[in-house]
Amino acid sequence: QLPTGLYKKVLVILHDSVLPYMNEPTLMIDFLTVAYGIGGAISLLALNGLFVLIHQHNLEYPDFYKKLYSLLDPSIYHVKYRARFFHLADLFLSSSHLPAYLVAAFIKRLSRLALTAPPEALLMVIPFICNLFRRHPACSVLVHRPGGPEDMSEDPYIMEEKEPSESRALESSLWEIRSLQDHYHPDVAKAAAILNQSLSEIEDDLSGLLELSAYELFDKEVKKKAVDVPLEFEQVRGLFGKKNDIFAEHFTLA
């Protein structure tokens, strides 16, 4: 039993400062799997160590993707370790052998949570979702379903379902991304509109978007050069815009 603060400090450095120097890194399997099951930020930080064990030491974790799916909650777009999580999630979802229902569940859940996400997170997750479509073309039915969301009386996707295979994500459509095409931030609306077109085969580079902050977005907007918009108007000639206005004899425009 470790204090939460110590848990986080250990997990932050475990994957690159501890595991590479251990004779038997597999001894950390129990510690990391327990940490992964705690939830919240501790589970996010445990992903790094688990990735090393899965990738380099053949660790088998039967419910790994189910647990990863359960970590997707509204806080995922606001936590301090957001960049670390999405970097690893990108690696875990890169295999072309993953079943379509699993990837579709991740796409749908990320899209639903995106409705309450800040602009800096949206500019990262929309290209993230586009990359998933490029790797898994079978999921494109979410975008190109005949009739689209207009023909659905309700969304069949079950947000509360913890098992990705039972979420019915493949039966749904991405009305959430369509909603983001009317987002108040023009860059978000532009990014969401890309799903209206055919996606290129080249994946988007997420490296510069994972660490994007609200300050950087604000600074970018402030530094934009203002464009003078020419206006044409008819100069007012009387109090109510009429010639020989009787009110103009008694009142003047300040």
Side-chain angles (χ1 to χ4, degrees), residues 56-69:
Q56 299 179 10
H57 301 282
N58 300 319
L59 169 64
E60 293 187 8
Y61 196 120
D63 293 328
F64 178 80
Y65 283 99
K66 179 181 177 181
K67 179 61 181 176
L68 184 65
Y69 182 74

Side-chain angles (χ1 to χ4, degrees), residues 11 14-15 19 32 45-54 88:
L11 292 171
L14 188 66
H15 67 287
L19 290 179
L32 285 170
L45 294 175
L47 279 173
N48 268 118
L50 281 175
F51 175 72
V52 173
L53 294 181
I54 292 171
L88 290 172

Side-chain angles (χ1 to χ4, degrees), residues 119-150:
E120 63 272 16
L122 292 174
L123 291 175
M124 175 272 300
V125 77
I126 292 174
F128 183 93
I129 290 173
C130 288
N131 284 349
L132 292 180
F133 279 122
R134 291 183 176 100
R135 298 170 190 167
H136 308 276
C139 295
S140 61
V141 66
L142 292 173
V143 179
H144 303 294
R145 185 176 301 282
E150 292 83 1

Side-chain angles (χ1 to χ4, degrees), residues 65-138:
Y65 283 99
K66 179 181 177 181
K67 179 61 181 176
L68 184 65
Y69 182 74
S70 70
L71 291 180
L72 301 181
D73 59 31
S75 68
I76 200 66
Y77 293 125
H78 303 271
V79 292
K80 177 181 178 181
Y81 308 105
R82 184 188 70 199
R84 182 193 297 257
F85 172 78
F86 277 97
H87 171 69
L88 290 172
D90 189 48
L91 291 175
F92 293 139
L93 296 172
S94 61
S95 173
S96 59
H97 299 292
L98 294 175
Y101 75 81
L102 178 66
V103 180
F106 274 90
I107 291 174
K108 185 64 180 177
R109 192 171 183 87
L110 287 171
S111 301
R112 180 67 59 85
L113 296 174
L115 293 174
T116 58
E120 63 272 16
L122 292 174
L123 291 175
M124 175 272 300
V125 77
I126 292 174
F128 183 93
I129 290 173
C130 288
N131 284 349
L132 292 180
F133 279 122
R134 291 183 176 100
R135 298 170 190 167
H136 308 276

